Amino acid sequence: MYAQSIIKNLFSIINIFLITYLLIDRKNNQEYRKKNWYSYVLCIGSIFLVRVMENGVSIHIVYNYITIVIIVMFIGHFLFQRNMKYCILIGSIFLSISLLGQLLSSIFLYPYSGNRVLAELPGIYQVVMMVIAESVIIAGCLTLKKIIERIPPHLSSINVMTIFIPLLLNIIVMAVCTDNLYNDKKVIIGNIWSVITISIVPIVMFLGTVCNIVILDNYLNVKKIENEKKLQISEMSLQYDYYMKQSKDMENIRRLSHDIKNHLEALKENIEPEQKIEYINGIERKLNKYQSYYKSGNTFIDNLLHTKRLEAIEKGIEFKVFADFTEFRQIRNEDLCVIISNTIDNALRECRLMKEENPMVECLVQLKAKKVKGFLSILCENSLRDSQVRYLRENATLETSKEDKKNHGFGVKNIKSVVKDYGGEVSFSVLDDMFSVSVIIPIEI
């Protein structure tokens, strides 16, 4: 009895490590390494103590099954920041593997039970059953790891139910069959072939669940390919529009060049210096408008920057860009646009307000983006009013200064939300009357 208890506790700790193995993402484990080692020890140690206490008392097997799912949810959510739907799925899969192991061990020892039920067999048989069950659990977890990794961490409710409902039916059937085989022989026909036939049903159902996961993974891959094709078509359309704009602007530049002689003749006339300067500035503004195209390596960003620079030129704001997004293909274009557009919009808004207070003041918006030691670094700087310098130094949370706080201030929130999804950081600073937004996102090149 004592040896049986030790083995049960040993298998409990093995199962906790197997659960951890199923939950960990081997492809993206940088975040897990950042955690302190004692977080793992404390979490796994606490769960092990709970399992030891459960093994030491007699509780209904259903509570044991529920505890397994709760343990998976606890480890997945607190150690690996998995969402609850994903944790419940992994918990159900592990519970199915555990029940499959118990069912197969009961079938294996069924011929040795004679007129007794399996629960009445001597301790050595109980140990053999536990060893067989644990062997199946270990083999099942190691075998299914690659299939489990194909389950996306964020699934819609419909896709979750596609996997969970067959799993739930499988768990119920295997639990009933195992319980009847182990505790109540009268319910099962006293023929080993009948037992095997009945037991095949949950095994087939479990394999069907595995097939569901593979089918769902293939379906999601097809949808991903379709979305990528749509994005490619959209990007090609955007590139076409972009080059058509360039073509039209080149035509306008040729027309402007054709008129240069006339402009020079006009400047030779005896006119006031202020008028000459205004005339020259007008020509420069036209030329600047046609020189506002960018080659950042991302067509979406190029088009966005072109639009923002035209807006800056119209308001008399100096707009500088030093950006290279060529290497950052793994960051979605829509997310990159959210970061860039919101930072520039906020910068342009502040410069417009500066111009309204003093039309002669010089305003600057400057964007820098590049790869720095495995990180995407984005820095947006803009000129700042004196009143805003004081306000932002006192406002650490960067709450919007607009009166309608309910419907404004989403720009900073959107930037933080997108950057957080990629495991990055956003920081804000005020230095020498310049406001800076710094974005750092870890990448894999």
Side-chain angles (χ1 to χ4, degrees):
M1 186 69 180
Y2 181 71
Q4 190 174 331
S5 177
I6 293 176
I7 292 173
K8 190 181 289 186
N9 292 333
L10 176 63
F11 288 160
S12 292
I13 191 66
I14 292 174
N15 289 341
I16 292 171
F17 282 117
L18 287 173
I19 289 170
T20 306
Y21 172 71
L22 293 179
L23 285 167
I24 196 169
D25 185 355
R26 293 179 294 182
K27 297 177 182 177
N28 303 305
N29 60 353
Q30 293 92 343
E31 281 295 317
Y32 313 143
R33 292 173 183 171
K34 294 180 183 178
K35 282 188 175 290
N36 296 318
W37 61 269
Y38 53 79
S39 298
Y40 295 97
V41 174
L42 183 63
C43 181
I44 293 174
S46 301
I47 293 169
F48 175 65
L49 289 176
V50 172
R51 294 295 290 169
V52 168
M53 287 189 290
E54 281 187 351
N55 294 336
V57 297
S58 180
I59 60 172
H60 197 278
I61 193 68
V62 173
Y63 295 111
N64 199 307
Y65 298 155
I66 294 173
T67 304
I68 289 175
V69 178
I70 292 174
I71 287 173
V72 176
M73 293 169 63
F74 186 82
I75 294 176
H77 185 68
F78 289 102
L79 280 187
F80 305 121
Q81 286 74 53
R82 300 286 198 177
N83 64 73
M84 284 302 178
K85 288 191 289 187
Y86 183 85
C87 292
I88 290 172
L89 280 182
I90 301 302
S92 301
I93 292 172
F94 183 80
L95 182 55
S96 294
I97 298 172
S98 299
L99 285 167
L100 181 63
Q102 293 175 15
L103 182 62
L104 292 177
S105 65
S106 298
I107 293 171
F108 180 80
L109 285 177
Y110 186 84
Y112 301 96
S113 60
N115 296 324
R116 293 177 295 178
V117 295
L118 294 175
E120 297 174 349
L121 290 176
I124 185 63
Y125 288 97
Q126 305 298 331
V127 171
V128 170
M129 288 181 67
M130 284 192 289
V131 171
I132 294 172
E134 191 62 29
S135 300
V136 173
I137 293 171
I138 294 172
C141 290
L142 296 177
T143 304
L144 294 179
K145 173 60 177 175
K146 288 186 177 180
I147 295 176
I148 290 173
E149 285 182 338
R150 299 171 76 169
I151 302 176
H154 300 283
L155 281 174
S156 66
S157 298
I158 295 176
N159 289 332
V160 169
M161 297 308 291
T162 301
I163 302 175
F164 180 71
I165 290 176
L167 267 176
L168 183 61
L169 293 173
N170 176 57
I171 288 170
I172 293 171
V173 172
M174 281 203 290
V176 170
C177 288
T178 303
D179 185 63
N180 288 331
L181 274 172
Y182 190 74
N183 293 307
D184 194 354
K185 200 169 186 178
K186 296 178 181 177
V187 179
I188 302 295
I189 301 172
N191 184 309
I192 186 60
W193 298 110
S194 299
V195 173
I196 293 173
T197 303
I198 294 171
S199 303
I200 284 175
V201 175
I203 296 173
V204 171
M205 289 179 66
F206 180 73
L207 294 176
T209 301
V210 174
C211 292
N212 274 347
I213 296 173
V214 176
I215 292 170
L216 177 63
D217 176 65
N218 291 332
Y219 167 76
L220 293 175
N221 283 336
V222 170
K223 294 294 291 183
K224 182 180 179 181
I225 292 170
E226 288 181 358
N227 291 334
E228 287 176 352
K229 286 184 177 178
K230 288 179 182 178
L231 189 62
Q232 288 174 355
I233 292 171
S234 175
E235 188 168 356
M236 289 173 65
S237 175
L238 189 63
Q239 285 176 336
Y240 175 78
D241 294 339
Y242 184 70
Y243 295 132
M244 287 300 294
K245 285 180 184 177
Q246 281 186 318
S247 178
K248 290 179 181 179
D249 286 348
M250 288 300 294
E251 179 65 25
N252 289 328
I253 290 173
R254 282 192 290 270
R255 289 177 183 175
L256 190 61
S257 300
H258 183 267
D259 292 334
I260 286 292
K261 184 177 180 180
N262 296 327
H263 292 310
L264 292 173
E265 289 294 332
L267 289 170
K268 289 178 182 179
E269 299 296 329
N270 292 325
I271 55 177
E272 295 295 327
E274 293 80 6
Q275 291 178 315
K276 282 187 178 182
I277 292 173
E278 185 178 349
Y279 191 89
I280 293 171
N281 288 339
I283 296 173
E284 285 182 343
R285 282 194 295 272
K286 287 183 179 179
L287 289 171
N288 286 335
K289 180 178 178 181
Y290 302 130
Q291 292 175 351
S292 62
Y293 288 95
Y294 299 95
K295 297 291 182 183
S296 70
N298 186 303
T299 308
F300 289 96
I301 300 300
D302 291 341
N303 206 25
L304 175 66
L305 293 174
H306 174 68
T307 304
K308 299 300 179 186
R309 187 162 195 258
L310 292 181
E311 183 181 339
I313 291 172
E314 183 182 348
K315 299 297 182 181
I317 301 169
E318 188 177 2
F319 191 86
K320 294 182 179 180
V321 174
F322 309 93
D324 182 7
F325 293 100
T326 308
E327 298 180 284
F328 311 113
R329 298 295 182 186
Q330 67 275 34
I331 300 177
R332 293 190 296 270
N333 287 320
E334 57 268 30
D335 293 334
L336 210 51
C337 285
V338 166
I339 298 171
I340 302 300
S341 63
N342 279 290
T343 51
I344 293 178
D345 283 344
N346 290 339
L348 288 175
R349 173 182 171 272
E350 174 61 21
C351 288
R352 283 198 304 270
L353 293 173
M354 286 185 70
K355 283 288 186 179
E356 289 176 5
E357 292 182 2
N358 182 5
M360 301 304 295
V361 71
E362 293 184 358
C363 297
L364 170 66
V365 173
Q366 182 170 266
L367 178 73
K368 298 178 182 178
K370 61 180 179 179
K371 173 193 170 187
V372 180
K373 296 181 179 180
F375 291 84
L376 164 58
S377 171
I378 300 174
L379 178 67
C380 185
E381 301 173 302
N382 63 271
S383 304
L384 206 58
R385 292 168 291 166
D386 291 338
S387 60
Q388 285 297 100
V389 171
R390 291 191 298 271
Y391 174 79
L392 290 172
R393 282 174 177 166
E394 296 171 359
N395 184 13
T397 60
L398 230 72
E399 182 183 354
T400 178
S401 59
K402 298 180 183 178
E403 293 182 3
D404 185 8
K405 290 181 170 55
K406 182 177 180 182
N407 297 314
H408 293 94
F410 291 106
V412 172
K413 291 179 182 177
N414 290 340
I415 295 170
K416 288 181 177 179
S417 176
V418 170
V419 173
K420 184 180 178 182
D421 289 342
Y422 288 93
E425 294 182 358
V426 184
S427 60
F428 308 91
S429 61
V430 178
L431 181 64
D432 297 333
D433 298 335
M434 291 289 289
F435 177 69
S436 300
V437 180
S438 176
V439 174
I440 297 293
I441 299 177
I443 55 171
E444 294 178 1
I445 305 300

